[in-house]
Amino acid sequence: MGVIGILAIIFLKGLTVVTVDTADVTTVSEYFSQNGLGLSFYSWYGSVRLFYFRVPEDTVLASFGLYAVKKSGSSCRTINITVHFQSGAPPVINPLGTKFASYTPVVPSHNLTIPVSTTMNNTFLNITNPSAGDWFIAAHLPEDDGKIEVEGLSSKCSYVLQPLLMVSRRIVVPVLEAGTAQTHSVSSPNTVAYLKIFIPEYTQELNLTLWNCSVGSSGASMCSLQVSLGSTTVPVNSQAFRNCTGKTVCTTVLKSPPWEKWLRITVASTASDNVTVGFNIGASLSACKLESTSSVLGILKSFAPNSSYFSIATENQGSSSNTWNISRSLSDALQIVGNCFRHQTVLREDLDVLSAKFSIVNGPNVTVAANLPTVLLFNLNSGDDSGGTVIVDLLLNKSSWTNHSALLLACFTYGSPILSLESLKDCSTGLSQGYSLKMNSTKTEDHLRVPFPISGYWYLTMQILCFGNRSDCDDSEASVLTSVYLTPCIDDCGQYGQCRLLRTFSYLYAACVCKAGWQGWSCTDDATAQSYGRQLLATLLLTLSNFMFIPAIVVAIYRYYIIEASVYAFAMFFSTFYHACDQPGVAVMCIMDYDTLQFCDFLGSVVAIWVTILCMARIKEIFKYLMFVIGSLFIAMSLQLGRRGVWNMMGPCLFALIIMVIAWVYRGIKRRKCYPPWWKRWVFFIFPGIGIAFIAICIYAFAETENNYYVTHSIWHILVSLSVAFLLPPRELLADKPWSCLQKSKCRYQICSNQSEDTYDVT
């Protein structure tokens, strides 16, 4: 099995293996695994198998191992498994190339293709400096061909994927405090300097400076270093890089860093191999000064009293030693930065699973100005919020909009707000890309749908921007009706979709399953949608085709098979209304619960075949009716265990056929001639009935697909009902009528008996 296989077994038992790297005592390795899941062909997001891992803090290397297993079978073939990766939330994928709903921007996920040609296939993905938190893996097979297969009729090849995560985590990471300097050294390509700094709330800007570089023994002051801020995320990398080669003092400015998080700093050498580079490093944080608020429910908290977090960095250009002075206190920093934004308090109200409503205090109208941006904070940090969809709707009040040349820009960002919209061409912070909404005098509303948002704090920043004379719009204000809420699916998947709540291990998420040919993430792509006429045709074919049981019912009554006729009527009734309720479009009618209709339809179909074959056996009535009852009970139990299995129908049929063959052979031996004795019965009834039934079974088992279901299944209804009419045996010539027992006698009752021999009346 190898080391990895042994580790996988340990992980399945719920153990975590921790090893220490002897070459670097500051690093530990940890291994995590999840149970392998069988993969499915893709038709909607529910076909995806979703895995997720929690990457620890201070991880410098994450290696995802993917182990694909193909179980042997006659139908096995080489196939490609598609695996999608995303950090923070499940990946939004589009394997079918369908259209997304309006106002739904989507970034393609990072994916790998794993060809499975042997029993075991291994693939690895290494990510350096990964972001701490949840990482999701979504895997699926190619597109489903839409064929409807009967369970158990053919052996299917199964594909299983088991992921494994191996992380290398540093035990000690130096903390860089704002306003203090540290000395470090790195050498290429062996060592890298890892540091981290905590970014408090209200931080507007981070300034990171490197100086006093010394390269090797020469002591040269030119920095041969590369600095990276942030951690690796996929599909969009949230890192900022700065090449400091050739600079004596290298300053990196990061706008709108993520609030209330540890920010990773990595410094690597770009010098030649085996050359040590020493340097000093320091950081300063520029913070906003907030206006006081009267609401005790305000979402913004006070600054920490520790003034060392906040300071202003200034470079002493006149000093030949290139020193770096940190001299101003927190109060000075706030006076310099001033007021950065205005805010309104937002309250969260949980409604249901993956459903929450955000209410703005003194809202829902929000006043937006030109001099300062207005910021709203939305808490999506409950853990399961990333499995839903965030809906943002903005409506500009025309009466409050006076400057017709201005633009109202809104940015919906993760981690931190954008505090300077005027200098932005898009809604991007220092480390992430946000979503923009724009309104003006001609476009007074805008909308945004964000499926599977990253779990955390999201910010909506709004400000009026002027393109002409800036002074003309300093006093401009506008009122914006703001509506933000979390929902499982976009618009509840519309008229032609159904929102399903899915679960993988303990994680909940939601997705749309579409019907009537509609496709897409929220069932809005009508490229293959069925028209209303097509839906109505399918409903009429599947329901009216059941009326072909009427000839079989008439024949059964004419031949005095009253019990059999009742079973056929039961099957016809429930099959008609089950298919009327089972339609994917709008031409639907349900007279009772769907599950009840489905059970009765399957029960009626199988029992109809059961009683028909027993009737053909021509056994004594007492035994025949006993077999009717016992068989119906066992069929009901079998269908409750599984309604799609092939043996739920084939089992009773085979057992009834064995009884019929034994009865016919017994009569043939007893009479010393073939039974039934009349060749016309074989040629005009039995052989055609068997042929029609065989064709019906072949269509049911091998020809049905999702696209032709309404045609092939209607043909199945017609052929089965015709085969029953052909196969029902004729009535006995000397048989009493079923209602002869009701004739009154002097004693108020009459004993009925049927002692006639089996004879056929062929007409």
Side-chain angles (χ1 to χ4, degrees), residues 101-104 389-391 393 447-449 485 487-499 512 521-524:
S102 302
Y103 311 108
T104 309
T389 300
V390 175
I391 309 295
D393 296 320
H447 310 276
L448 176 65
R449 284 87 175 94
Y485 56 94
T487 183
C489 301
I490 300 175
D491 297 330
D492 202 24
C493 301
Q495 185 179 9
Y496 293 98
Q498 184 180 8
C499 187
C512 290
W521 186 264
S522 53
C523 303
T524 54

Side-chain angles (χ1 to χ4, degrees), residues 743-750:
Q743 297 176 358
K744 294 183 179 182
S745 64
K746 294 181 180 180
C747 297
R748 299 294 182 182
Y749 67 91
Q750 179 178 344

Side-chain angles (χ1 to χ4, degrees), residues 729-750:
R731 62 183 175 185
E732 299 174 359
L733 292 177
L734 302 179
D736 294 329
K737 296 180 180 180
W739 50 85
S740 61
C741 292
L742 300 178
Q743 297 176 358
K744 294 183 179 182
S745 64
K746 294 181 180 180
C747 297
R748 299 294 182 182
Y749 67 91
Q750 179 178 344

Side-chain angles (χ1 to χ4, degrees), residues 8 23 27 30 87 99 118 234 257 259 265 299 310 367 374 382 421 449 486 490 510 526 565 644 689 693 714 736:
T27 303
E30 294 178 297
S87 57
K99 295 186 298 184
T118 59
V234 293
W259 290 359
I265 303 172
I299 57 173
F310 299 93
T367 301
T374 300
S382 67
L421 295 179
R449 284 87 175 94
L486 177 71
I490 300 175
D526 60 352
R644 300 288 181 179
S714 299
D736 294 329

Side-chain angles (χ1 to χ4, degrees), residues 290-473:
L290 298 181
E291 299 176 355
S292 61
T293 175
S294 58
S295 174
V296 297
L297 298 174
I299 57 173
L300 300 177
K301 297 176 289 185
S302 302
F303 283 116
N306 185 0
S307 62
S308 64
Y309 276 130
F310 299 93
S311 57
I312 293 299
T314 60
E315 183 179 338
N316 187 352
Q317 302 291 347
S319 174
S320 60
S321 62
N322 293 322
T323 58
W324 191 67
N325 299 325
I326 301 175
S327 58
R328 291 191 173 96
S329 63
L330 173 60
S331 59
D332 295 332
L334 293 176
Q335 292 175 4
I336 294 175
V337 175
N339 298 327
C340 295
F341 63 89
R342 299 189 296 182
H343 73 274
Q344 284 189 240
T345 303
V346 178
L347 303 180
R348 169 172 172 150
E349 178 185 1
D350 290 320
L351 304 177
D352 204 342
V353 179
L354 299 179
S355 181
K357 177 183 178 182
F358 295 94
S359 302
I360 302 172
V361 176
N362 300 324
N365 291 301
V366 177
T367 301
V368 181
N371 57 346
L372 287 177
T374 300
V375 176
L376 306 177
L377 181 148
F378 301 96
N379 182 0
L380 296 172
N381 201 26
S382 67
D384 290 334
D385 293 341
S386 58
T389 300
V390 175
I391 309 295
V392 180
D393 296 320
L394 301 180
L395 178 62
L396 178 62
N397 189 343
K398 289 184 178 180
S399 61
S400 65
W401 188 257
T402 57
N403 193 332
H404 298 288
S405 63
L407 172 70
L408 194 151
L409 176 62
C411 290
F412 192 61
T413 55
Y414 167 75
S416 64
I418 299 175
L419 302 180
S420 179
L421 295 179
E422 292 180 313
S423 60
L424 289 179
K425 295 182 180 180
D426 57 0
C427 292
S428 59
T429 64
L431 297 178
S432 63
Q433 177 65 48
Y435 305 95
S436 63
L437 300 93
K438 300 177 181 179
M439 293 174 288
N440 52 31
S441 57
T442 58
K443 180 186 177 184
T444 58
E445 63 178 282
D446 206 351
H447 310 276
L448 176 65
R449 284 87 175 94
V450 183
F452 294 162
I454 299 176
S455 181
Y457 291 100
W458 286 76
Y459 299 86
L460 181 63
T461 307
M462 295 182 286
Q463 188 175 6
I464 298 176
L465 306 180
C466 296
F467 303 100
N469 189 353
R470 181 69 178 82
S471 60
D472 294 340
C473 122

Side-chain angles (χ1 to χ4, degrees), residues 128-334:
T128 57
N129 297 327
S131 174
D134 293 332
W135 283 72
F136 291 84
I137 301 174
H140 60 84
L141 298 178
E143 180 183 357
D144 189 4
D145 58 6
K147 190 176 186 304
I148 301 175
E149 296 183 352
V150 181
E151 295 179 6
L153 191 61
S154 61
S155 60
K156 298 178 62 177
C157 184
S158 60
Y159 302 87
V160 179
L161 182 72
Q162 181 175 12
L164 174 71
L165 173 61
M166 298 170 284
V167 300
S168 178
R169 179 174 58 86
R170 294 185 67 87
I171 300 177
V172 178
V173 177
V175 176
L176 181 63
E177 294 188 6
T180 61
Q182 294 184 6
T183 301
H184 295 273
S185 62
V186 295
S187 61
S188 178
N190 298 323
T191 60
V192 177
Y194 296 98
L195 302 95
K196 62 181 179 180
I197 183 172
F198 186 75
I199 308 297
E201 276 189 298
Y202 321 126
T203 301
Q204 184 183 28
E205 183 178 286
L206 167 67
N207 289 269
L208 184 71
T209 303
L210 278 74
W211 75 100
N212 284 348
C213 294
S214 59
V215 181
S217 59
S218 62
S221 60
M222 305 296 286
C223 288
S224 299
L225 301 171
Q226 177 172 308
V227 182
S228 66
L229 300 175
S231 303
T232 303
T233 58
V234 293
V236 179
N237 189 15
S238 60
Q239 284 183 297
F241 297 93
R242 179 67 186 276
N243 192 345
C244 297
T245 302
K247 301 181 184 296
T248 57
V249 176
C250 183
T251 300
T252 302
V253 179
L254 186 65
K255 300 285 188 179
S256 300
W259 290 359
E260 293 291 316
K261 290 183 179 295
W262 287 99
L263 182 67
R264 180 177 301 177
I265 303 172
T266 305
V267 183
S269 173
T270 58
S272 58
D273 292 347
N274 301 322
V275 175
T276 302
V277 180
F279 60 92
N280 290 344
I281 186 172
S284 64
L285 300 173
S286 299
C288 292
K289 180 180 179 181
L290 298 181
E291 299 176 355
S292 61
T293 175
S294 58
S295 174
V296 297
L297 298 174
I299 57 173
L300 300 177
K301 297 176 289 185
S302 302
F303 283 116
N306 185 0
S307 62
S308 64
Y309 276 130
F310 299 93
S311 57
I312 293 299
T314 60
E315 183 179 338
N316 187 352
Q317 302 291 347
S319 174
S320 60
S321 62
N322 293 322
T323 58
W324 191 67
N325 299 325
I326 301 175
S327 58
R328 291 191 173 96
S329 63
L330 173 60
S331 59
D332 295 332
L334 293 176

Side-chain angles (χ1 to χ4, degrees), residues 473-485:
C473 122
D474 283 342
D475 298 329
S476 298
E477 289 188 349
S479 178
V480 179
L481 180 64
T482 305
S483 174
V484 180
Y485 56 94

